[in-house]
Coordinates of all heavy atoms in Angstrom, one line a residue:
E1 N 4.3 -3.6 -0.2 CA 3.8 -4.7 0.6 C 2.3 -4.6 0.6 O 1.5 -5.6 0.5 CB 4.3 -4.6 2.0 CG 5.8 -5.0 2.1 CD 6.4 -4.8 3.5 OE1 5.8 -4.1 4.2 OE2 7.4 -5.5 3.7
G2 N 1.7 -3.3 0.6 CA 0.3 -3.2 0.7 C -0.3 -3.6 -0.6 O -1.4 -4.3 -0.6
T3 N 0.3 -3.4 -1.8 CA -0.1 -3.8 -3.0 C 0.0 -5.3 -3.1 O -1.0 -5.9 -3.7 CB 0.8 -3.2 -4.1 OG1 0.6 -1.8 -4.1 CG2 0.3 -3.7 -5.5
M4 N 1.1 -5.9 -2.6 CA 1.2 -7.4 -2.7 C 0.0 -8.1 -1.9 O -0.5 -9.0 -2.3 CB 2.5 -7.9 -2.1 CG 3.7 -7.6 -3.0 SD 5.2 -8.4 -2.5 CE 5.6 -7.3 -1.1
L5 N -0.3 -7.5 -0.7 CA -1.4 -8.0 0.0 C -2.8 -7.9 -0.7 O -3.5 -8.9 -0.8 CB -1.6 -7.3 1.4 CG -2.8 -7.8 2.3 CD1 -2.5 -9.2 2.6 CD2 -2.8 -6.9 3.5
A6 N -3.0 -6.8 -1.4 CA -4.2 -6.6 -2.2 C -4.2 -7.6 -3.4 O -5.3 -8.3 -3.6 CB -4.3 -5.2 -2.8
V7 N -3.1 -7.8 -4.0 CA -3.0 -8.8 -5.1 C -3.2 -10.2 -4.6 O -3.9 -11.0 -5.3 CB -1.6 -8.7 -5.8 CG1 -1.4 -9.8 -6.8 CG2 -1.5 -7.3 -6.6
L8 N -2.7 -10.5 -3.4 CA -3.0 -11.8 -2.9 C -4.4 -12.2 -2.7 O -4.8 -13.4 -2.9 CB -2.2 -11.9 -1.5 CG -2.3 -13.2 -0.7 CD1 -1.6 -14.4 -1.5 CD2 -1.7 -13.1 0.7
S9 N -5.1 -11.2 -2.4 CA -6.6 -11.4 -2.3 C -7.3 -11.8 -3.5 O -8.3 -12.5 -3.5 CB -7.3 -10.2 -1.6 OG -7.5 -9.2 -2.7
G10 N -6.7 -11.4 -4.6 CA -7.3 -11.8 -5.9 C -8.6 -11.1 -6.2 O -9.4 -11.6 -7.2
K11 N -8.9 -10.0 -5.6 CA -10.2 -9.4 -5.7 C -10.0 -7.9 -6.2 O -9.2 -7.2 -5.8 CB -11.0 -9.3 -4.4 CG -11.3 -10.7 -3.9 CD -12.3 -11.5 -4.7 CE -12.7 -12.8 -4.1 NZ -13.6 -13.5 -5.0
E12 N -10.8 -7.6 -7.2 CA -10.7 -6.2 -7.8 C -11.2 -5.1 -6.8 O -10.8 -4.0 -7.0 CB -11.6 -6.1 -9.1 CG -11.1 -7.0 -10.2 CD -11.9 -6.8 -11.5 OE1 -12.8 -5.9 -11.5 OE2 -11.6 -7.4 -12.5
N13 N -12.0 -5.4 -5.8 CA -12.4 -4.4 -4.9 C -11.5 -4.3 -3.6 O -11.8 -3.7 -2.7 CB -13.8 -4.6 -4.5 CG -14.0 -5.9 -3.8 OD1 -13.1 -6.7 -3.6 ND2 -15.3 -6.1 -3.3
I14 N -10.3 -4.9 -3.7 CA -9.3 -4.8 -2.7 C -8.0 -4.1 -3.4 O -7.4 -4.7 -4.4 CB -8.8 -6.2 -2.1 CG1 -10.0 -6.8 -1.6 CG2 -7.8 -5.9 -1.0 CD1 -10.8 -6.3 -0.5
S15 N -7.6 -3.0 -3.0 CA -6.5 -2.3 -3.6 C -5.7 -1.7 -2.5 O -5.5 -2.2 -1.4 CB -7.1 -1.1 -4.4 OG -6.1 -0.5 -5.3
C16 N -4.9 -0.6 -2.8 CA -3.9 -0.1 -1.8 C -4.0 1.5 -1.7 O -4.5 2.1 -2.5 CB -2.5 -0.5 -2.3 SG -1.2 0.0 -1.1
L17 N -3.5 1.9 -0.6 CA -3.5 3.4 -0.2 C -2.1 3.8 0.0 O -1.2 3.1 0.5 CB -4.3 3.6 1.1 CG -4.4 4.9 1.7 CD1 -5.7 5.1 2.4 CD2 -3.3 5.1 2.8
A18 N -1.8 5.1 -0.4 CA -0.6 5.7 -0.1 C -0.7 6.8 0.9 O -1.7 7.6 0.8 CB 0.1 6.3 -1.3
D19 N 0.0 6.8 2.0 CA -0.1 7.8 3.0 C 1.4 8.5 3.2 O 2.3 7.8 3.5 CB -0.5 7.3 4.3 CG -0.7 8.4 5.5 OD1 0.2 9.1 5.7 OD2 -1.7 8.3 6.1
I20 N 1.5 9.8 2.8 CA 2.8 10.4 2.8 C 3.6 10.3 4.2 O 4.8 10.1 4.2 CB 2.8 11.9 2.4 CG1 4.1 12.4 2.0 CG2 2.1 12.7 3.4 CD1 4.8 11.6 0.9
Y21 N 2.8 10.3 5.2 CA 3.5 10.2 6.6 C 4.2 8.8 6.8 O 5.3 8.8 7.2 CB 2.4 10.4 7.7 CG 2.9 10.3 9.1 CD1 3.8 11.2 9.7 CD2 2.5 9.1 9.8 CE1 4.2 11.0 11.0 CE2 3.0 8.8 11.1 CZ 3.8 9.8 11.7 OH 4.2 9.5 12.9
H22 N 3.4 7.9 6.5 CA 4.0 6.6 6.6 C 5.0 6.2 5.6 O 6.0 5.5 5.8 CB 2.9 5.5 6.6 CG 1.9 5.6 7.7 ND1 2.2 5.3 9.0 CD2 0.6 5.9 7.7 CE1 1.2 5.5 9.8 NE2 0.1 5.8 9.0
M23 N 4.8 6.7 4.3 CA 5.8 6.5 3.3 C 7.2 7.1 3.7 O 8.1 6.4 3.5 CB 5.4 7.3 2.1 CG 4.3 6.6 1.2 SD 3.7 7.5 -0.2 CE 5.3 7.7 -1.1
I24 N 7.2 8.3 4.2 CA 8.4 8.9 4.6 C 9.1 8.1 5.8 O 10.3 7.9 5.7 CB 8.3 10.4 5.0 CG1 7.9 11.2 3.8 CG2 9.4 10.9 5.7 CD1 7.6 12.6 4.1
G25 N 8.3 7.7 6.7 CA 8.8 6.8 7.8 C 9.4 5.5 7.3 O 10.3 5.0 8.0
E26 N 9.0 4.9 6.3 CA 9.5 3.6 5.8 C 10.3 3.7 4.5 O 10.8 2.7 4.0 CB 8.3 2.6 5.5 CG 7.5 2.3 6.9 CD 8.5 1.7 7.9 OE1 9.3 0.8 7.6 OE2 8.4 2.1 9.1
G27 N 10.6 4.9 4.0 CA 11.5 5.1 2.8 C 10.8 4.9 1.6 O 11.5 4.8 0.5
D28 N 9.4 4.9 1.5 CA 8.8 4.8 0.1 C 9.0 6.2 -0.5 O 9.1 7.2 0.1 CB 7.3 4.6 0.4 CG 6.9 3.2 0.6 OD1 7.6 2.3 0.2 OD2 5.9 3.0 1.4
T29 N 9.2 6.2 -1.9 CA 9.4 7.3 -2.6 C 8.3 7.7 -3.6 O 7.5 6.7 -3.9 CB 10.7 7.2 -3.5 OG1 10.5 6.2 -4.4 CG2 11.9 6.8 -2.6
L30 N 8.4 8.7 -4.3 CA 7.4 9.1 -5.2 C 7.5 8.2 -6.5 O 6.5 8.0 -7.1 CB 7.4 10.6 -5.6 CG 7.2 11.6 -4.5 CD1 7.2 13.0 -5.0 CD2 5.8 11.3 -3.8

């Protein structure tokens, strides 16, 4: 979802971050 938001902006200086604490809480995997 973070990546989709960055892509929606259409700007190269908007990207995404990964945080292992939040990833584990929401089921994101490596």
Side-chain angles (χ1 to χ4, degrees):
E1 290 172 339
T3 298
M4 285 190 288
L5 179 62
V7 170
L8 178 64
S9 75
K11 299 294 184 178
E12 291 187 2
N13 61 358
I14 309 294
S15 192
C16 189
L17 173 149
D19 183 313
I20 193 61
Y21 173 75
H22 296 293
M23 284 176 58
I24 288 176
E26 293 302 316
D28 283 329
T29 68
L30 298 186

